[in-house]
Amino acid sequence: MLSQKNEYDLKRAIRHAKSEKAIKKLQEELIKLQTWVINNNEKVVIIFEGRDAAGKGGSIRRIIERLNPRHLRVVALPKPTEDEATQWYFQRYVNELPIGGEIVFFDRSWYNRAVVEPVNGFCRQSQYLRFMKQVNHFEDMIVESGVRLVKIYMSISKKVQAKRFREIKANPLKVWKMSPVDENAQRLWDEYTDYRKKMFENAKKGKFPFKVINSNRKTIARVDVIKHILDSIPYDKNVIV
């Protein structure tokens, strides 16, 4: 008879195997989606938001690992330069928007100013309020120009975030991922929650709300993320690849 721990490990392994099988099948559909994007000169933006260690980067890697790298980009912008800080806030994101036949994945996006920046004191309150006033109009403009926009928020619990931080710090190959912002994430958990709620409420006032994905279990979350992307874009499921 299995011990409680062994039974849990077995169930976890079965769930993981099922999720991996599902991901491989969904990756076939992602290839069809990309082929449709290329053939029709479509422009797609998929933005990933979420707390630190929510699995944004890992999900993007699973999405793109079987795709043609010449027709996609992953954008993870660093802190603005001095020159960029003097520009219209959205300018450097506009510079990263896709050309025809391309999918661009934002690993964090212009929504830095909705949550990360105000929580950590990286912007003034007036800048935050200006962003919240402009962001829905900005998204209207880029979509009206022909961009298909998908907005995903990956949600984790405080307990899971703490566990993942411990795992990152204990892994010499991943420890570089921890930044001062990450170090403060648990202490500022409630502040992040408040600003996240305001971000969701503001997005609902526009045409493009966030899809919230529970990412406490990484493999299940990746399945849910890919399914949402496929459901959000009207690609030709019969396209020949």
Side-chain angles (χ1 to χ4, degrees):
M1 187 174 183
L2 292 174
S3 68
Q4 187 174 5
K5 180 181 185 303
N6 288 341
E7 185 177 358
Y8 171 79
D9 289 343
L10 178 60
K11 289 181 179 179
R12 183 179 180 185
I14 292 172
R15 285 197 305 268
H16 181 79
K18 288 181 177 178
S19 296
E20 283 298 315
K21 184 177 180 180
I23 286 174
K24 289 181 180 178
K25 188 65 178 177
L26 291 168
Q27 286 175 333
E28 295 177 13
E29 290 300 313
L30 286 170
I31 292 171
K32 293 180 184 179
L33 184 152
Q34 187 186 43
T35 302
W36 174 82
V37 168
I38 295 168
N39 291 346
N40 292 277
N41 222 32
E42 292 280 346
K43 296 174 287 186
V44 178
V45 168
I46 304 173
I47 68 175
F48 284 78
E49 292 294 334
R51 296 180 191 266
D52 299 309
K56 300 179 292 296
S59 293
I60 293 172
R61 285 192 294 274
R62 295 309 305 271
I63 292 167
I64 70 174
E65 66 181 350
R66 303 295 181 185
L67 299 181
N68 186 335
R70 292 190 296 274
H71 296 276
L72 64 84
R73 283 183 293 121
V74 178
V75 176
L77 295 181
K79 178 183 176 180
T81 65
E82 290 186 12
D83 287 341
E84 287 173 336
T86 67
Q87 295 176 337
W88 177 46
Y89 175 75
F90 295 99
Q91 183 61 53
R92 68 186 192 135
Y93 295 102
V94 169
N95 295 340
E96 300 292 346
L97 293 178
I99 60 173
E102 186 178 40
I103 304 174
V104 173
F105 299 85
F106 281 92
D107 186 349
R108 292 203 184 278
S109 67
W110 43 88
Y111 281 99
N112 269 333
R113 180 143 291 179
V115 181
V116 175
E117 290 189 14
V119 168
N120 291 278
F122 297 156
C123 71
R124 298 188 299 275
Q125 185 68 5
S126 60
Q127 292 174 315
Y128 163 76
L129 293 174
R130 186 181 307 118
F131 168 85
M132 297 293 276
K133 182 179 179 180
Q134 293 180 349
V135 63
N136 289 339
H137 299 301
F138 169 70
E139 292 174 357
D140 286 342
M141 286 191 294
I142 64 174
V143 171
E144 287 170 5
S145 73
V147 170
R148 295 187 182 274
L149 177 63
V150 180
K151 295 160 59 176
I152 295 170
Y153 184 92
M154 305 194 71
S155 178
I156 57 174
S157 68
K158 188 175 184 180
K159 182 178 178 180
V160 168
Q161 186 188 58
K163 178 176 179 290
R164 290 182 183 175
F165 281 161
R166 289 195 298 270
E167 292 170 349
I168 290 171
K169 289 179 180 180
N171 188 335
L173 299 178
K174 293 183 177 182
V175 68
W176 60 270
K177 292 184 176 183
M178 290 296 296
S179 70
V181 171
D182 298 324
E183 294 287 356
N184 288 326
Q186 287 273 294
R187 179 175 60 82
L188 296 172
W189 181 271
D190 291 340
E191 287 84 347
Y192 273 101
T193 299
D194 290 342
Y195 276 98
R196 181 192 63 177
K197 181 180 178 182
K198 293 173 185 176
M199 179 181 74
F200 288 162
E201 290 174 348
N202 194 65
K204 286 179 181 178
K205 294 177 184 177
K207 300 174 184 176
F208 311 104
F210 279 91
K211 173 65 175 181
V212 179
I213 302 290
N214 184 326
S215 58
N216 281 337
R217 293 178 176 172
K218 291 181 180 180
T219 50
I220 295 174
R222 289 165 186 170
V223 169
D224 291 342
V225 164
I226 298 174
K227 283 182 177 178
H228 177 65
I229 291 170
L230 295 172
D231 289 342
S232 299
I233 301 173
Y235 70 102
D236 181 1
K237 295 177 176 58
N238 298 311
V239 66
I240 298 174
V241 298

